[in-house]
Amino acid sequence: PVEVPPVEPMTVSSLIRKPSGQVPQARAGANVVTRGIAVHRMLQRLPDVEDKLRLPQARAIATAAGFDEALADEVLDLLAHDAFSTIFMAGGLSEIPLMVDLPNLGGRIVGRIDRLVVEPDRIAAIDYKTSRHVPTDAADADPAHVQQMAAYREALHRIHPGARIEVALLYTEGPKLIWLP
């Protein structure tokens, strides 16, 4: 079976740098994997939280992970970005488990879709990437990430035959959204 972890492996170089020069500060014991998990957790929980409660909840998640409030501010900026409004709109689904037999891809895919948006005319699956490297376009994206999303697309076609399925990678650094062909 193809096992897709919910958080990609990261290296020390994946600590992000904000355009303002602010870098989220990690406390003792926090690392880049912890950072990625915290970002995913905020992107999972905060879209459904009313605006006035987002900041304290984001800061609580960042603090629990060992980071200062700059990480919370960074994620809140991402959620407020106009370009991502349809991804983080009310009714979107987070951390959706997926297990589908795909014989044409060599077996069963087991994974977790970071964000699933179901609209009358399409279904969109988005995977968050928190690494520092942000590709310029789909052709420059990590082939493993492209294959992961191709498998998700195939699985969603199997679950929802006839639906228009779109898949994308959302790089939190930048931020940048890349829709995959």
Side-chain angles (χ1 to χ4, degrees), residues 54-78:
R54 280 186 177 180
L55 180 60
Q57 287 195 22
R59 287 183 175 169
I61 293 168
T63 300
F67 290 89
D68 68 13
E69 60 191 46
L71 183 63
D73 294 342
E74 175 185 307
V75 173
L76 290 171
D77 287 347
L78 177 73

Side-chain angles (χ1 to χ4, degrees), residues 82-95:
D82 287 341
F84 312 129
S85 62
T86 59
I87 293 170
F88 296 115
M89 67 182 183
L93 305 169
S94 295
E95 297 294 322

